[in-house]
Amino acid sequence: MGRRQLHLGVFTYPGGHHIGGWRHPSAVPRAILGYDYYAKMAVAAERGKFDLLFVGDMLAAREKDGRVIAQGALNNIDSISITSAVSGATERLGFVATLSTTYNEPFAIAERFASLDHITGGRAGWNIITTANDDAALNFSRKSHMEKSLRYQRAKEFVDICKGLWDGEIDHRGQFFGVKGALDLPRPPQGWPVLVQAGGSPAGLEFAAMVAELIFAAQSKKEDAARFRAAVKERMPKYGRDPSLLKVLPGLMPILGATEKEALDKEKMLNGLLHPAVGIWMLSEQMDFRLYDYPQDGPLPTADIRESGKDFTPRVVSLMERADREGLSVRECGTLVAASRSHGSVVGTPEQVADHMQLWLDEGACDGFNVMPAYFQDEFDLFIDQVIPILQRRGIYRKEYEGTTLRDHLGLPVPRRGQTG
Amino acid sequence: MHLLTSLSAHGWHPAAWRVSGAADFEGIAPFKAMARLAERGGLDAVLLGLPGDRLHLDPLPLLGALIGATERIGLCGYWSCDVAEPYHVARVFATLDHLADGRTGWIAGLAGPEALAAKFQRLDLPVTPADMAARMVELIDVARQLWDSWEDEGFVVDQATGAFANPEKVHPIDHAGRFFTVRGPLNVPRPVQGQPVILYRDAGPAEARAGVAASAEIVLAECATLAEAQACRREWQALALKQGRAPGALRFVVHVMPILADIDAAAERRAAELDGLAPGSRNLRFIGTPQKFAAWMSEWQAAEACDGFDILPAIGAIDLAHVVNAVVPELRRLGLRPVGYGGHSLRAVLGLQRAASRFAA
C-alpha cells in the first residue's frame, strides 16, 4: 500500500470564493457568466490533475425584502449547463453538478444525470441537496419551505427512485412519489453518477451515511473535520455500507504569496474589498436569523439567535461559540463568513499551504479538499503551478490520471445493479 | 427561408438506427458531428430533444455540451411544460444563453398526460386539455417575466465602486396566477438576447394556440399537405395579430423528413428499403434529389405555406449531408438562404427583435 492520496475538487464561483474576490484587479467580472470563464477553469483543473470541478445551486436571488444585495448579488448559475458545456474542453476531469430534491422530480433528474454521465463519458457526479434557504419556496409556488426532516425523507425516496431508474425499470409507489417506467437510455457508464452530499446538520449527516460516496464538508478546524468524518463513517455499516468507500473533502480557500507576508497582505487587500453589507446578509441567511436591525459594531446576539430555536449547522454553531469567546461584533462575524464563505482558509506560501493539506490528510481529517480559489483565474493558476508540484513531490497526489471516469479517480467501484447501499 | 434541423442519434426514420451503420448508442458524438455539419451548411439552428428519437438524452445537458462544439449556429432545446417550473426554465435557459453568448432558444410544448402520467404521478397537475394549456401559457409568461426581472443595466460589476448589481434595475416579479406564485427576481442576470428565442412545438391541445400566440416566435408544426400548412399558418398569424403582435413576429415552420439521393430512383429505393424495415410514420416526407427538394421547399414558401422548415433527416449522416452539400447551395442560388451567418445572436440570425425588459422605464 502506498501513502494515502489527496483527492481535489475545484469549486467554481462567479467571481471567486472570497466575496470581495471579483474586485481583485486581475479578475474580469464582466466575463463571469461566459463560457470561457468556466472552460479556462476546467482546463486548468485538468492540467492540475484534479478529480473534479464542482458547481453549487441556489434557487433564489441574494436579496433582502425583495431587493438584491447591491455589493454581491450573484451565486452560482445553473450547474448542469456549466458542467455539460465545459466537459467537451476536457477529457479526464470529473464534474459534480448540484440539484435539489425538494424542488425537482426524480424521473427528470435521473434522466438528466444519466445524460450528463453519458455526455461526459462517465465523469458525472450529483451533489444532492435539499435546499436550505426559505426564499426558494417563494419562487416555486409554495407558501413555506418544507420542514427539514421531511426534506430528508423526500431526498432519500428521491435518490432510491433515481438508482432504480439508472439500473433499469421501476414500479415505485411511496410516501412522496409514484414512478413507473424506465429511462430511454442505456445504463450510465458509471452505473450511477457519483453521489455527493454537502452540509453537516444532524439530519444531513445521517443522510450522508445512507447515500453519499463523497462529501463536501465545511469544517474549518482540523479536529472538527476529523470528528465529522469519523461520525459519518461510523454510521455507514448500519446501512450496509463500507466506510472505506467514502471520501470527505472539506472546502479550502488558499490565499498564496511568495512569502507569508505577501500572502497576509493579499488577504488584507481582499478583506478591504469586501462590503460589510454582504457579510451581514450572508450571516443572516446562514443563521436563518435577521441581523439587519442589530448594531453592526455591537456583539453578535448569540442568545437571541439560539433562542430562535433553529436546527443550526455545525459551522453556525462553531461561529457562535467563537463570537462568544472572542467578543466578535456582527460586522466582524459577517466579514469572517463572507471572506471564505465560512469554509476553511489558509494563508501563506505554497509550502505552508501544502503542509496544511498534508497535516489534515495524515491526521484523518479529510481525504482531500474542495479548493475554493479566492478569485479566478489567477489565484487558481497559482495553486496549480505552485502547490500541486509540492504535493506530487511529497507522494500524496497523482502525477497522472490513472483512469478515465470520476469513479476511477476517486477509487469508487461501479455499483452493482440493485445495490441498496 | 428559415432552415432548422432536429438532431437525433441516428436519424428520424424509425429504421434509421438499423441501417446507419453506427453502434446502437454512441453518446454525444453523433450530435456533435451533426451540429457541426449543420453549422457548415449555415443552418439557423439545431433543435434538441424533440420526441420521436429512439433513445433520449436530456436536451439540456446536450445543449450545454454543444456550446463549445459549435460557434455560430443556434441551439434550441425542448423542455415540455407539463411538469416544468418556470423558475427552473428561466434559470437554466438564462444560464445557457450566457454560456452560448446569445445563441439559444427554448422549445416549449406539451408532452401530454399519456406520455407523462406514469413517470410523474402527481395529483396536483391539470388533466383537461384546457387546463394543461392554461398552465403552459402561464408558465411561458412567468419565465419571460423572470428574464426581464434583471434590466440590462442591473448587472453592474464595477470593481472600483464595489457595485455588483443595481437594485433599482433588478425587480421582484411578484407573480400570483392560477397555477404559479413566483416572487423573483431571477438569480441569473438578463440573458444575452434579453430573452432566449421562444419556439413552440404545436402538437398539444388546440386550446393552447390562442395563448401561446402571445409569445411564440417560431411555431413548429406537423402538416401533411400544402393546403393544411397554409390554413394552419393563417390561423397562427391571425392569433398573433389578435394578441397585438407585429406582422411577421411569429414564424411558421414545418417539419419535413427528406430522403435524398442523387437520382430520384435511388431516393425511392432508399425510402422503400427503410419502410420495409419499419414503416415511416411521418406525415410529411420528401423523396427525391436535393435539387428537387430545394425547388419543393421554394414552392411551399412561395405559396405562403410556411416561413421555413425543420429538417428531420431520415438518416442523419446521409440526408443532412445532402442538405448541407447540395440543398443549401441550391437555396442560395434561388436567393432563399444567406451565405454565412447574418448576425451574432440567434435572434439576429432569425431577424427577430431583442426584447426590452418590461421593467425598463
Side-chain angles (χ1 to χ4, degrees), chain A residues 144-350:
Chain A
S144 64
H145 199 39
M146 193 180 273
E147 185 263 318
K148 194 166 195 165
S149 66
L150 267 182
R151 265 167 29 218
Y152 277 102
Q153 285 171 36
R154 179 180 160 110
K156 178 68 173 61
E157 189 180 329
F158 195 115
V159 174
D160 285 343
I161 293 168
C162 289
K163 289 175 176 175
L165 287 167
W166 292 323
D167 285 349
E169 198 166 341
I170 65 166
D171 185 357
H172 170 96
R173 183 160 287 281
Q175 183 186 355
F176 295 91
F177 306 104
V179 181
K180 186 170 190 284
L183 302 180
D184 290 328
L185 281 172
R187 194 170 192 235
Q190 296 188 103
W192 310 339
V194 174
L195 300 177
V196 183
Q197 199 262 354
S201 68
L205 193 142
E206 209 62 42
F207 180 72
M210 265 186 267
V211 307
E213 302 174 280
L214 180 66
I215 298 180
F216 289 138
Q219 290 76 19
S220 53
K221 285 212 306 242
K222 183 168 83 269
E223 293 70 25
D224 295 341
R227 228 184 342 263
F228 171 76
R229 181 166 172 270
V232 182
K233 282 176 178 281
E234 196 182 282
R235 285 167 172 75
M236 288 173 72
K238 121 176 131 189
Y239 301 108
R241 303 186 61 214
D242 174 357
S244 74
L245 300 181
L246 171 76
K247 308 289 175 198
V248 182
L249 311 188
L252 178 69
M253 186 175 76
I255 295 180
L256 290 159
T259 62
E260 191 177 336
K261 174 161 188 315
E262 202 183 296
L264 287 166
D265 286 348
K266 190 192 276 180
E267 182 191 33
K268 200 189 282 172
M269 179 219 183
L270 285 166
N271 286 348
L273 294 173
L274 193 159
H275 197 283
V278 191
I280 292 167
W281 175 83
M282 290 187 86
L283 201 56
S284 300
E285 288 290 303
Q286 278 192 10
M287 299 183 151
D288 196 5
F289 184 88
R290 291 176 67 91
L291 290 161
Y292 311 110
D293 302 331
Y294 288 87
Q296 289 190 12
D297 293 311
L300 186 71
T302 49
D304 293 359
I305 296 167
R306 288 199 179 91
E307 209 165 277
S308 72
K310 301 276 164 46
D311 180 13
F312 298 117
T313 59
R315 55 180 148 158
V316 168
V317 172
S318 79
L319 179 70
M320 286 197 290
E321 285 166 6
R322 180 167 167 196
D324 286 341
R325 203 164 54 234
E326 300 176 20
L328 299 176
S329 69
V330 171
R331 181 205 296 261
E332 284 166 327
C333 288
T335 302
L336 267 179
V337 165
S340 63
R341 301 187 39 253
S342 78
H343 288 74
S345 172
V346 53
V347 184
T349 64

Side-chain angles (χ1 to χ4, degrees), chain B residues 276-355:
Chain B
L277 288 167
S281 56
R282 285 280 158 191
N283 288 330
L284 185 60
R285 312 207 288 185
F286 180 88
I287 301 166
T289 66
Q291 289 69 29
K292 285 185 181 161
F293 184 39
W296 177 91
M297 291 163 87
S298 145
E299 275 167 36
W300 276 56
Q301 170 120 339
E304 300 190 339
C306 65
D307 304 292
F309 295 90
D310 168 32
I311 306 287
L312 300 156
I315 295 181
I318 296 173
D319 295 294
L320 186 59
H322 277 303
V323 168
V324 167
N325 296 328
V327 178
V328 166
E330 183 64 12
L331 291 171
R332 284 177 179 155
R333 203 182 59 75
L334 296 170
L336 292 170
R337 287 292 301 165
V339 177
Y341 287 91
H344 187 77
S345 69
L346 179 57
R347 285 187 176 278
V349 167
L350 295 169
L352 293 167
Q353 294 288 320
R354 185 183 190 278

